Each structure stands twice: as C-alpha cells, then as structure tokens.
Amino acid sequence: REMSFVLDEIDTISAKAGIEGLVDTSRVAAAGHSFGALIASSKTGLNVTESATLDYGNANDERFQAAVLMSIPGRGDGPAMEMLADNAYDGLDKPLIATGGTNDIGRVKPRNMTAAEWRTMVYSLAPPGDKYAVIVEGSDHYLGGLICNAEAGGDPDPGGVAIVAAMTTMFLDAYIKEDSDALAYLQSVDVLNRTAGRATYQRR
C-alpha cells in the first residue's frame, strides 16, 4: 500500500524534495529484489490468497505499467510463497522482466527445477507477451553483496550487476520511455554472445 501511497502523494513529495515538476506520473514501473520483487509483482497483477489480502484487498494498481523482478521467489515452502493463489500468475499481463542467477538458491518447489528456473518462474507462468527473463551464470542472490546485504553471498560480482543493470534499463527504456530502439534491441539482442556466454536470455 505504501507504493500506491507514494503515487497518491507524489506532488507533495516532489515539492518537499525540491524536484517539483520533474516526476512524470504517467510513466511508472514497479521494481524490486527478492521479497520486494514479490511486492512489485503484486502491484502489477499477481494474485494472492484471500487470507493474504487481509482488509487491504487487491494490491494491484493500474498506474504501475511494467515490472522489474530481480530474484523473485517462485512457488515453494515458506510464508511468502504460500501467499500465492492457485492462479497467482494469470493476472500478470503487463510487461515484465525477471532476473536470477544459477547460484541464486531458494525454497525451490518442485524440486526438479534449478534455482535459476525457480527465480524466473514468474516469466514462465505469466501470460505470454512482453515477458523477458535473464539468467546470469554463477550469480548469487545478492550478486556478491553489490545489490544489498554486503555480508551475504559470494565474491563481489560487478559483471553480473552490469548485465542485470543493462537489461533492466533497456526494458524500462522500451516500456516506460516507449523507446522504439530499446524495444527492437530487446527483441533481437544475442545476450549469450554479448556477455561472452555469461548470461542466457528468453522472451515470449
């Protein structure tokens, strides 16, 4: 609800921050990492169980036009994943990009999935159209502590950060800035070659 509150009060916030008139509220994306990605997806159509909504109702907010979902949990064990409704992914019809790493482990369910497949499950199960997934070989949940939680994860992974940053920025340029060149790039780029085999890329 705080994400929607920020949009509700953006004029007041902008004025107090000294950036009045610089925020274009007609171009808004939701983005997050890990549980934050789960929250971002709930703002763009993820269906959760009735017990999880409490008195808040549906968290979807039509003002969020696209989603950047880094290391988002898939179905599995634990309270966060149990909040997913049976039709959790059916409402995710807006553009989204999901990223994960092959060392990005979690409560994987079903157990025959790889960690990276689990972290990009949202890409596989959301309705097709304007959906993208990037999997970075060797990257962990925190990209070596360079996203957050510097004490966790493996060695710092600036290369992994650069790949995720480049692809998510291109996605935002395409769908929030409506840049036709960025969209053409997303639909044609050979990520495996451009990253010297470090990352794989899918779109549907």
Side-chain angles (χ1 to χ4, degrees):
R1 295 185 74 188
E2 290 173 351
M3 293 177 69
S4 293
F5 174 79
V6 168
L7 288 186
D8 294 339
E9 300 296 326
I10 196 67
D11 290 340
T12 301
I13 294 169
S14 298
K16 290 187 175 184
I19 56 171
E20 191 171 10
L22 298 181
V23 178
D24 185 350
T25 55
S26 70
R27 300 172 185 268
V28 182
H33 170 257
S34 194
F35 192 81
L38 204 60
I39 293 171
S41 65
S42 77
K43 305 306 295 183
T44 51
L46 183 76
N47 296 314
V48 299
T49 61
E50 187 174 344
S51 61
T53 64
L54 302 174
D55 349 341
Y56 303 127
N58 189 339
N60 183 44
D61 188 331
E62 289 298 328
R63 293 175 294 178
F64 292 97
Q65 300 153 349
V68 174
L69 309 173
M70 298 182 290
S71 300
I72 184 172
R75 292 192 181 279
D77 308 318
M81 286 68 79
E82 290 169 2
M83 293 192 321
L84 298 178
D86 291 341
N87 65 339
Y89 303 103
D90 293 356
L92 292 169
D93 53 5
K94 295 179 180 178
L96 69 79
I97 184 168
T99 70
T102 57
N103 291 340
D104 190 350
I105 61 174
R107 295 181 175 91
V108 179
K109 189 176 183 180
R111 300 296 175 183
N112 59 352
M113 299 183 75
T114 67
E117 288 170 338
W118 187 69
R119 290 290 180 182
T120 55
M121 183 184 287
V122 62
Y123 160 82
S124 302
L125 297 182
D130 303 311
K131 305 296 188 299
Y132 305 88
V134 180
I135 294 173
V136 183
E137 182 69 31
S139 282
D140 61 42
H141 191 61
Y142 301 105
L143 291 166
L146 296 182
I147 287 184
C148 60
N149 203 348
E151 305 303 317
D155 295 332
D157 186 6
V161 171
I163 292 168
V164 171
M167 295 304 298
T168 55
T169 300
M170 194 65 64
F171 171 84
L172 291 170
D173 283 349
Y175 289 101
I176 300 301
K177 290 187 174 181
E178 299 180 345
D179 184 325
S180 59
D181 290 338
L183 182 59
Y185 182 90
L186 279 178
Q187 296 177 346
S188 62
V189 60
D190 182 353
V191 171
L192 188 67
N193 181 58
R194 290 294 299 269
T195 62
R198 179 85 199 273
T200 57
Y201 176 60
Q202 302 174 71
R203 59 185 177 87
R204 58 195 289 264

